[in-house]
Amino acid sequence: MKVTESYDGAIQRTIYTPQEIAAAIERLAARIASDFRGQPLLLLGVLKGALYVVSDLARAIARTSDGPSEVIVDYLCVSSYGNETRSSGEVRLLKDASESVTGRNVVIVEDIIDNGLTLEYLRALLDERKPAVLRSCVLFDKPYRRRVDIPLDYVGLECPDEFVVGYGLDYQELFRNLPSLAQLQPWVFHS
Ligand code: IMP
Ligand code: MG
């Protein structure tokens, strides 16, 4: 059985198809490429959730005709949710970036923003290191439960106030490699 078939029974509805996600990535890439035209750019993906966003975005930027002079991809790894479906508000840095951000043009690339505490923590952490430019890019925006006012420079798609999975987002580490963004059946959370 294909993995996606075993996922099928767990999915209540598809929120965004792979095609809609790909189109959103292209739009984000076009804007970032034009804002950093002719300049070096450091894309800093927030793992694990942003693993597909940052890799697809980096390649989409490379396909634009008049973009940054160079693109470097780096990662840091944080955890805030544990195995719950609501953010704990407590963000842990599991792995720091390996590149220095000082004096560089940095775009933080996140999968999704909900209450905003993860991005607030990351922006404060990176701001201290004095980047030349620090911007935030999120693929999915859940604007309903924001607890902090975070400047978002690049937003892909609005997301309903539901716990969602796929395209990098997990529930207890599962469903990350689902190609669409989806809402799960309620029974999944009780099994
Ligand atoms: P925030 O701190 O509430 O803004 O949440 C940010 C992080 O929580 C994201 O980077 C995700 O990793 C995770 N997250 C938020 N909403 C969801 C969701 O619906 N499904 C899976 N993970 C989520
Ligand atoms: Mg994340």
Side-chain angles (χ1 to χ4, degrees):
M1 185 162 80
K2 284 170 69 182
V3 172
T4 46
E5 285 169 23
S6 71
Y7 282 171
D8 278 348
I11 286 163
Q12 184 164 62
R13 72 178 176 116
T14 296
I15 296 167
Y16 290 113
T17 64
Q19 292 74 21
E20 289 168 324
I21 294 171
I25 297 271
E26 293 293 328
R27 291 193 295 272
L28 291 172
R31 289 191 47 212
I32 293 171
S34 121
D35 287 358
F36 292 94
R37 179 171 299 147
Q39 300 171 56
L41 174 64
L42 175 60
L43 289 179
L44 202 50
V46 184
L47 292 185
K48 292 181 189 174
L51 86 162
Y52 301 123
V53 193
V54 73
S55 58
D56 287 348
L57 188 62
R59 288 177 296 177
I61 291 171
R63 287 193 295 272
T64 59
S65 50
D66 200 12
S69 56
E70 61 177 47
V71 176
I72 289 175
V73 180
D74 195 15
Y75 300 95
L76 40 76
C77 192
V78 298
S79 130
S80 68
Y81 265 39
N83 281 335
E84 303 306 319
T85 59
R86 286 269 167 242
S87 182
S88 60
E90 180 195 321
V91 185
R92 279 185 302 151
L93 184 66
L94 302 181
K95 184 208 163 288
D96 204 339
S98 31
E99 292 291 316
S100 164
V101 305
T102 308
R104 296 170 90 173
N105 300 323
V106 181
V107 175
I108 306 173
V109 181
E110 255 284 42
D111 48 0
I112 192 167
I113 180 168
D114 186 9
N115 63 34
L117 293 170
T118 306
L119 253 186
E120 181 187 53
Y121 168 87
L122 288 173
R123 288 194 62 102
L125 180 83
L126 296 171
D127 242 342
E128 274 178 26
R129 301 176 186 175
K130 303 279 175 258
V133 172
L134 182 62
R135 298 215 173 135
S136 303
C137 172
V138 300
L139 179 58
F140 302 113
D141 180 16
K142 290 204 276 194
Y144 313 93
R145 292 174 197 272
R146 205 75 97 242
R147 284 163 62 182
V148 283
D149 192 22
I150 288 286
L152 292 180
D153 304 284
Y154 309 103
V155 179
L157 296 162
E158 188 160 322
C159 183
D161 189 14
E162 305 288 349
F163 187 79
V164 292
V165 295
Y167 200 73
L169 293 157
D170 71 304
Y171 174 63
Q172 298 191 345
E173 291 302 322
L174 292 174
F175 305 104
R176 264 192 223 284
N177 64 338
L178 183 75
S180 53
L181 187 79
Q183 187 184 345
L184 293 172
Q185 298 279 9
W187 62 257
V188 177
F189 302 106
H190 309 296
S191 60

